């Protein structure tokens, strides 16, 4: 039951969007997913209340430092992947969540402020390894990328990450209307109406590639069953 934590100490980095895309795509592939909503904004919880019932996705709201370990323990038998959505700020929960994680994913938009928020998480990961010998796999996912234009700021962020030898996902999350609209209507990209949302096919492909890459980086333990692809997904 791998735990994937999404962290950036700056809000607005596309963190919660990335959480939602990964969770719904994993469910689409038949995996059982539990999202731990630790973000005070509770966007994932609001989305979940709007969504039709889905036996493959569960959301635990109001997760905090004192409950997170118990939240995970209580759902282990019914979960293939745990996904943690952390607050977009420096909190004591960050270190606790990292310590429970199999992989930390750091969403970074193509701007200096996002890069600094991501750097805060990277520095904590390095500190834990240096001081406590705790090494947690981690990588960066670039978010809200313009599919048509590569900005100077994005190039600068990519250069900084390369200089620090940070692992960056091959699949960025592109700026798509569907990624915003799904929060308003609930469900997933696969339940949206193609006639009502522009470039929905491209949004679905982007989300699928993102999820596929994460499954390759964070595979299930061999002892766990394969995904049940015949079950209804989001």
């Amino acid at each position: 039951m791998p735990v994937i934590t999404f962290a950036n100490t700056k809000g607005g980095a596309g963190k919660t969007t990335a959480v939602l895309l990964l969770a719904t795509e994993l469910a689409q592939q038949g995996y059982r997913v539990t999202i731990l909503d630790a973000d005070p904004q509770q966007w994932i919880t609001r989305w979940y209340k709007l969504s039709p019932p889905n036996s493959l996705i569960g959301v635990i709201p109001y997760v905090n430092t004192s409950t997170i370990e118990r939240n995970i323990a209580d759902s282990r038998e019914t979960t293939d992947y745990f996904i943690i959505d952390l607050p977009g700020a420096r909190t004591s929960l960050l270190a606790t969540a990292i310590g429970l994680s199999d992989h930390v994913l750091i969403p970074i938009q193509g701007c200096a402020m996002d890069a600094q928020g991501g750097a805060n998480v990277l520095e904590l990961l390095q500190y834990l390894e240096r001081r406590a010998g705790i090494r947690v796999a981690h990588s960066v996912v670039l978010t809200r990328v313009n599919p048509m234009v590569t900005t100077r700021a994005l190039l600068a962020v990519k250069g900084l990450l390369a200089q620090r030898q940070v692992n960056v996902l091959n699949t960025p999350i592109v700026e798509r209307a569907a990624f915003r609209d799904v929060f308003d209507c609930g469900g997933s990209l696969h339940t949206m109406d193609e006639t009502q949302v522009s470039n929905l096919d491209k949004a679905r492909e982007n989300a699928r590639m993102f999820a596929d890459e994460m499954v390759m980086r964070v595979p299930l333990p061999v002892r766990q069953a394969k995904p049940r692809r015949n079950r209804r997904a989001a």
Side-chain angles (χ1 to χ4, degrees), residues 9-160:
T9 60
K10 176 192 171 295
K15 172 178 57 62
T16 301
T17 298
V19 167
L20 180 59
L21 294 181
L22 179 59
T24 52
E25 286 302 311
L26 289 176
Q28 181 68 19
Q29 296 180 25
Y31 295 103
R32 300 169 300 172
V33 181
T34 298
I35 307 173
L36 279 66
D37 191 356
D39 191 327
Q41 302 298 322
Q42 294 286 290
W43 286 113
I44 287 293
T45 299
R46 296 181 194 185
W47 160 83
Y48 187 65
K49 290 178 180 178
L50 287 174
S51 301
N54 186 335
S55 61
L56 295 179
I57 297 181
V59 173
I60 301 174
Y62 304 111
V63 173
N64 56 50
T65 305
S66 63
T67 66
I68 186 170
E69 192 165 2
R70 184 176 73 250
N71 293 147
I72 292 174
D74 289 347
S75 299
R76 282 195 179 277
E77 296 303 316
T78 57
T79 301
D80 295 317
Y81 282 97
F82 289 98
I83 300 178
I84 303 175
D85 187 17
L86 289 179
R90 285 175 178 252
T91 69
S92 59
L93 183 57
L94 176 59
T96 303
I98 286 176
L100 295 170
S101 299
D102 295 281
H103 196 100
V104 175
L105 196 56
I106 306 166
I108 292 181
Q109 204 176 169
C111 70
M113 287 188 294
D114 264 23
Q116 183 55 54
N120 292 336
V121 179
L122 290 167
E123 288 167 5
L124 177 56
L125 286 160
Q126 292 164 1
Y127 178 84
L128 289 173
E129 181 174 4
R130 185 172 63 253
R131 291 289 187 177
I134 300 172
R135 189 177 190 283
V136 181
H138 57 276
S139 52
V140 163
V141 56
L142 297 174
T143 62
R144 295 177 176 166
V145 173
N146 189 316
M148 304 300 293
V149 179
T150 300
T151 65
R152 184 179 302 176
L154 180 58
L155 289 174
V157 168
K158 286 182 175 180
L160 177 63

Side-chain angles (χ1 to χ4, degrees), residues 2 24 41 63 67 78 97 111 115 118 132 138 140 155 166 174-175 178 198 202 204-205 208 214 221 226-227:
T24 52
Q41 302 298 322
V63 173
T67 66
T78 57
C111 70
H138 57 276
V140 163
L155 289 174
V166 176
V174 175
E175 181 70 24
S198 63
K202 293 180 180 179
R204 288 171 175 168
E205 177 67 8
R208 184 192 62 76
M214 285 308 300
K226 294 182 179 179

